[in-house]
């Protein structure tokens, strides 16, 4: 029934054969056991092509299982009849269907739900990259068409919103576009989506809007966007930076503010490098100025915390070059302590101590600054403000202060 047209004399009607095939696919996959899917493995794309509806129904029911058998499929992949990765056939079957207009949306949803079960690993292919690759095939289709990247993402958002958001970010990152489907139908004369350039409105509007909407109330997602900003397609960057600029960062907690500050500061550090010719990751000057503004806004909220990285360092020993670097680091730590004291007093020092992994280094720097500038009454203020929360900070400060005073 799936073969190319030819001499069909004496054959039963195609509809009857198709019904029989679908009943067979349903019966084969209806057990709900991961071992069945793993044992069929490379046969699954053929079953998907033979009866897409039955294949997708069976996959959907398996994904709704409690627990879903596919979770064990990943964990027990070594038991595949072909060894190694028993989920490859399943991925290829879903990828094949997701590459066709009639089944792109339900197959994309199934891939997303499968990706949410995947614990990750070195063996490939994996569900999430396969999903992103398939989505990129539809980036050139207008939203008015029966299938488009926006419509597929909308369907995914209903059942796997986290995967939909991550896929949107991945689509906007460097390398937008796909090399084409990795599997094609063996008998069906289906239209298969091929590599297509993303439409400009998809890159500049549709995908950034979806990404921004998914960031509402999620500082961790804004941090992820900022971290990836230099790899994101240039058409999407203005909308994303404008969306981030509109966020009221004063409502975030200090750790999230610090994560965003570090991500934005890293961007500025890269953008200020003098590289010729102009690197691919260079941002327009107007965008860089907006990022500068956001960093300055964050500076007003987290003056002590922006120095946390300086005090999370473990010293090395022996190498003269490393020793010189350690001296430079010590000087920067002392300047940071001086700045924190000026802006937030002892309370700022205690706040900083709560977010670093090296309280002794902070205590040494505090003692040095107090000795150089003859700051008085630090001991009692430090003990009163810190209490018993930062014993290493207080102990090292007392010891270093005594050493500097010759006690």
């Amino acid at each position: 029934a799936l073969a190319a047209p030819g001499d069909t004399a004496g054959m039963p009607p195609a509809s009857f054969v198709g019904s029989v095939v679908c009943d067979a696919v349903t019966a084969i996959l209806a057990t709900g056991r991961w071992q069945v899917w793993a044992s069929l493995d490379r046969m699954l794309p053929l079953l998907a092509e033979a009866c897409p509806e039955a294949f997708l129904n069976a996959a959907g029911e398996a994904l709704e299982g409690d627990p879903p058998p596919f979770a064990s499929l990943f964990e027990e992949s070594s038991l595949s009849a072909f060894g190694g990765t028993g989920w490859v056939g399943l991925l290829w079957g879903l990828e094949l269907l997701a590459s066709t207009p009639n089944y792109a949306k339900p197959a994309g949803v199934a891939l997303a739900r499968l990706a949410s079960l995947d614990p990750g690993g070195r063996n490939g292919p994996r569900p999430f990259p396969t999903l992103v690759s398939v989505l990129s095939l539809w980036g050139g289709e207008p939203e008015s068409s029966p299938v488009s990247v926006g419509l597929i993402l909308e369907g995914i958002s209903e059942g796997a919103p986290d995967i939909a958001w991550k896929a949107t970010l991945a689509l906007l990152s460097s390398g937008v576009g796909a090399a084409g489907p990795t599997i094609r139908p063996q008998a069906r004369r289906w239209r298969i989506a091929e590599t297509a350039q993303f439409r400009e409105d998809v890159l500049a509007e549709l995908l950034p809007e979806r990404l921004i909407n998914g960031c509402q109330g999620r500082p961790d997602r804004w941090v992820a966007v900022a971290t990836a900003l230099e790899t994101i397609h240039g058409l999407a960057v203005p909308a994303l930076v404008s969306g981030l600029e509109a966020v009221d960062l004063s409502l975030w907690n200090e750790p999230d503010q610090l994560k965003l500050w570090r991500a934005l500061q890293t961007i500025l550090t890269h953008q200020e490098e003098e590289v010729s010719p102009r690197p691919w990751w260079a941002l327009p000057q107007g965008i860089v100025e907006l990022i500068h503004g956001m960093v300055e806004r964050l500076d007003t909220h987290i003056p002590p915390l922006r120095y946390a990285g300086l005090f999370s360092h473990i010293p090395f020993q022996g190498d003269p070059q490393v020793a010189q670097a350690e001296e430079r680091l010590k000087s920067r730590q002392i300047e940071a302590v001086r700045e924190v004291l000026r802006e937030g007093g002892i309370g700022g020092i205690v706040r900083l101590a709560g977010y670093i992994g090296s309280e002794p280094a902070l205590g040494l720097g505090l003692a040095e600054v107090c000795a150089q500038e003859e700051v008085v009454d630090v001991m009692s203020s430090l003990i009163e403000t810190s209490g018993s929360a930062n014993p290493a900070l207080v102990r090292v400060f007392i010891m270093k202060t005594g050493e500097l005073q010759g006690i």
Side-chain angles (χ1 to χ4, degrees):
L2 298 179
D7 184 7
T8 59
M11 293 182 63
S15 59
F16 173 78
V17 176
S19 176
V20 171
V21 170
C22 286
D23 289 344
V25 172
T26 298
I28 292 170
L29 300 178
T31 64
R33 299 171 59 223
W34 69 265
Q35 291 92 338
V36 172
W37 293 86
S39 63
L40 291 169
D41 200 16
R42 303 306 199 272
M43 293 294 296
L44 291 175
L46 293 176
L47 295 179
E49 185 179 349
C51 189
E53 293 84 0
F55 184 86
L56 289 170
N57 287 339
E61 291 177 3
L63 286 164
E64 292 174 0
D66 186 17
F70 294 148
S72 297
L73 182 65
F74 289 114
E75 296 170 2
E76 307 289 348
S77 62
S78 61
L79 299 182
S80 165
F82 292 87
T85 52
W87 62 85
V88 172
L90 174 60
L91 281 188
W92 283 354
L94 292 174
E95 181 185 2
L96 172 64
L97 297 181
S99 303
T100 66
N102 290 341
Y103 305 107
K105 185 174 180 178
V109 171
L111 275 171
R113 294 171 66 185
L114 194 63
S116 67
L117 299 175
D118 183 11
R122 292 176 295 177
N123 292 335
R126 314 298 300 195
F128 184 76
T130 301
L131 171 65
V132 174
S133 178
V134 167
L135 287 170
S136 67
L137 296 175
W138 300 104
E141 297 287 331
E143 287 303 296
S144 58
S145 66
V147 60
S148 66
V149 65
L151 289 174
I152 301 174
L153 283 170
E154 183 179 337
I156 294 173
S157 296
E158 296 174 2
D162 287 343
I163 297 296
W165 189 88
K166 292 176 182 177
T168 305
L169 180 59
L171 285 170
L172 285 174
S173 297
S174 58
V176 168
T182 59
I183 185 168
R184 296 178 180 275
Q186 300 298 304
R188 300 273 195 179
R189 295 181 177 180
W190 282 335
R191 173 204 162 195
I192 297 294
E194 302 290 348
T195 303
Q197 292 292 326
F198 271 50
R199 295 194 339 271
E200 288 192 4
D201 63 314
V202 171
L203 293 171
E205 301 171 17
L206 187 144
L207 294 180
E209 182 179 347
R210 294 193 66 90
L211 208 60
I212 291 170
N213 289 340
C215 286
Q216 303 308 314
R218 293 288 301 270
D220 60 315
R221 289 186 173 178
W222 277 121
V223 172
V225 170
T227 302
L229 196 63
E230 290 176 304
T231 69
I232 286 176
H233 196 284
L235 289 175
V237 169
L240 294 175
V241 173
S242 295
L244 179 55
E245 190 184 27
V247 176
D248 187 353
L249 300 176
S250 66
L251 300 179
W252 290 17
N253 61 39
E254 289 180 346
D256 288 332
Q257 289 176 342
L258 179 59
K259 291 174 185 176
L260 180 61
W261 184 91
R262 286 174 174 166
L264 295 177
Q265 191 62 57
T266 298
I267 293 175
L268 294 181
T269 300
H270 290 167
Q271 298 300 315
E272 290 168 359
E273 294 177 357
E274 296 183 3
V275 180
S276 182
R278 186 175 171 82
W280 62 268
W281 42 258
L283 298 173
Q285 186 57 36
I287 296 296
V288 174
E289 291 174 359
L290 290 176
I291 294 174
H292 265 294
M294 284 186 279
V295 169
E296 291 176 357
R297 283 165 53 199
L298 284 167
D299 282 346
T300 65
H301 296 300
I302 54 168
L305 301 187
R306 66 179 182 270
Y307 299 112
L310 289 175
F311 296 94
S312 299
H313 179 74
I314 301 175
F316 294 94
Q317 304 293 332
D319 189 332
Q321 291 185 341
V322 172
Q324 294 175 6
E326 292 296 328
E327 284 299 316
R328 290 194 297 271
L329 175 62
K330 180 181 176 181
S331 297
R332 293 179 63 195
Q333 289 174 337
I334 291 174
E335 289 304 313
V337 169
R338 184 175 286 112
E339 184 74 12
V340 172
L341 274 175
R342 182 167 60 249
E343 293 178 346
I346 291 297
I349 295 293
V350 173
R351 285 175 63 201
L352 178 57
Y355 291 99
I356 64 176
S358 181
E359 291 180 21
L362 182 58
L364 291 173
L366 179 61
E368 292 277 3
V369 171
C370 292
Q372 293 173 11
E373 301 188 1
E374 299 182 352
V375 180
V376 297
D377 297 328
V378 173
M379 190 84 69
S380 57
S381 297
L382 181 61
I383 295 174
E384 180 181 349
T385 306
S386 180
S388 59
N390 307 106
L393 170 65
V394 175
R395 182 174 65 254
V396 172
F397 173 75
I398 293 173
M399 293 174 60
K400 187 63 176 180
T401 298
E403 176 187 324
L404 294 172
Q405 294 178 353
I407 299 175

